[in-house]
Amino acid sequence: MKKFVNDPRQFVAEMLKGVALANPDTLRYVPEYNLIMRADAPRADKVSVIQGSGSGHEPAHVMIVGKGMLDAACPGDVFAAPPMDYVLETSKLLASPKGVLHLINNYTGDRMAFDMGKEMAEAEGVQIKTVLVDDDVAVADSTFTIGRRGVAGNFFVIKVVGAAAEAGADIDELVRLGDKVNSVTRTMGMALTSCTPPAKGSPLFELGDDEMEIGVGIHGEPGRRREKLANADTIIDELLEAVVTDLPYERGDDVALMINGLGGTPIGELYLLYGRAHEQLEARGIHVRRNYVGEYCTSLDMAGASLTLVKLDDEIVKGLAAPAEIAIRTF
């Protein structure tokens, strides 16, 4: 497998250095802790919002640090939780009089690292609270979790919480908002191919040319089942059925619809999937009021996609519509 890589052990560090060099006026890089943070953070007038998780899911999370989004991200290696000391030192560096909010995707390693980092930072006087993200409906438990996984729906939690933090909301209000968004967000994904971690140099798992994995995790964890490849409409209909019936979403609901690429899917194919999902939702009497198509939470170079729905109300729409400034620039 051909990759742009030097020493695989330095892949994450070199990527983070590139992110920082491309955004010298807005971001600060602290290599000792894989930390990408806003250049103006911490600020005394806002809660600092921090995410961690593993690398390999870009643009989540280091590329969505900026105004109205995250104040900092301290990822671990590819598909690995950040070490506890990364969380501890990031929390201390981002300490604000208004507190620090940890956003944690529901994986065992992430939860352990953030729980220990939180406990140690609190012992040094840092006020910290937590929001857990677990939007994946594919499986009840997975290789790396007890309970549902946190996947692409994490974006919506970050966006709403980040907007409220920018507006000066206190930490209890941010926890309420984060939990609220997570409670009405559901996701399911599928894979057409595996992905190739730089340190491994070969696909993480084997998937035949005529096979697909339904319900795959963003670290390549097994999903609901492996079966013969189907056409695009059949695939998106299955993802949609699993997501819609889980909350459930009902006739008359307003929703945000995200079709998220997992790293190796052309944008044209994502829009093809979006078109079918949009039409099927309208046929159910569920109205798409906001849409997101592109790569938000990937799995390196995996060909595949996930579908996310968020049940909207005025409060959530306000957060989603608020301006944000992040490292990724499209023009």
Side-chain angles (χ1 to χ4, degrees), residues 12-35:
V12 172
E14 291 180 352
M15 173 190 70
L16 296 178
K17 180 175 71 173
V19 171
L21 289 173
N23 300 274
D25 297 328
T26 56
L27 298 180
R28 175 186 169 199
Y29 174 39
V30 184
E32 294 87 350
Y33 312 118
N34 276 3
L35 171 58

Side-chain angles (χ1 to χ4, degrees), residues 80-312:
M84 179 278 295
D85 59 312
Y86 287 18
V87 177
L88 169 62
E89 298 301 331
T90 295
S91 300
K92 290 164 60 178
L93 285 169
L94 273 291
S96 160
K98 296 195 72 168
V100 174
L101 180 67
H102 288 171
L103 301 181
I104 308 173
N105 287 333
N106 187 35
Y107 296 95
T108 301
D110 293 69
R111 292 185 66 171
M112 289 177 62
F114 272 85
D115 285 349
M116 290 188 291
K118 175 178 181 288
E119 182 177 348
M120 296 187 72
E122 287 176 330
E124 298 190 36
V126 182
Q127 179 192 11
I128 300 176
K129 294 199 174 182
T130 296
V131 170
L132 189 69
V133 181
D134 58 354
D135 55 303
D136 190 356
V137 308
V139 292
D141 297 293
S142 181
T143 310
F144 302 117
T145 65
I146 298 174
R148 290 181 165 183
R149 304 174 291 213
V151 287
N154 180 64
F155 164 83
F156 295 98
V157 176
I158 291 171
K159 183 68 183 69
V160 174
V161 166
E166 201 68 38
D170 66 30
I171 196 166
D172 290 329
E173 175 68 357
L174 297 187
V175 171
R176 183 191 69 80
L177 278 171
D179 288 342
K180 175 182 177 179
V181 175
N182 182 64
S183 73
V184 294
T185 302
R186 299 289 189 274
T187 301
M188 184 158 149
M190 61 81 58
L192 301 176
T193 71
S194 181
C195 57
T196 302
K200 189 172 187 291
S202 59
L204 195 60
F205 59 90
E206 295 298 326
L207 196 59
D209 290 341
D210 62 344
E211 292 181 318
M212 61 182 182
E213 182 85 20
I214 297 294
V216 71
I218 57 173
H219 307 99
E221 308 100 305
R224 291 186 173 184
R225 68 184 185 282
R226 184 171 298 184
E227 63 181 35
K228 294 297 183 182
L229 181 64
N231 66 32
D233 285 355
T234 300
I235 291 170
I236 207 68
D237 287 355
E238 177 164 356
L239 298 184
L240 188 67
E241 177 68 15
V243 168
V244 167
T245 57
D246 188 86
L247 188 60
Y249 300 84
E250 299 173 333
R251 180 172 294 275
D253 283 348
D254 291 338
V255 299
L257 168 61
M258 173 187 282
I259 301 296
N260 169 63
L262 294 180
T265 304
I267 189 69
E269 294 179 24
L270 297 180
Y271 273 102
L272 183 155
L273 297 174
Y274 174 84
R276 175 68 175 188
H278 185 118
E279 290 177 344
Q280 291 299 301
L281 285 166
E282 292 294 338
R284 293 171 180 254
I286 299 172
H287 308 299
V288 180
R289 300 305 187 199
R290 298 189 66 85
N291 62 77
Y292 302 80
V293 182
E295 293 183 339
Y296 293 85
C297 184
T298 63
S299 183
L300 293 170
D301 55 347
M302 183 182 288
S306 63
L307 181 152
T308 301
L309 287 181
V310 184
K311 187 174 180 178
L312 299 176

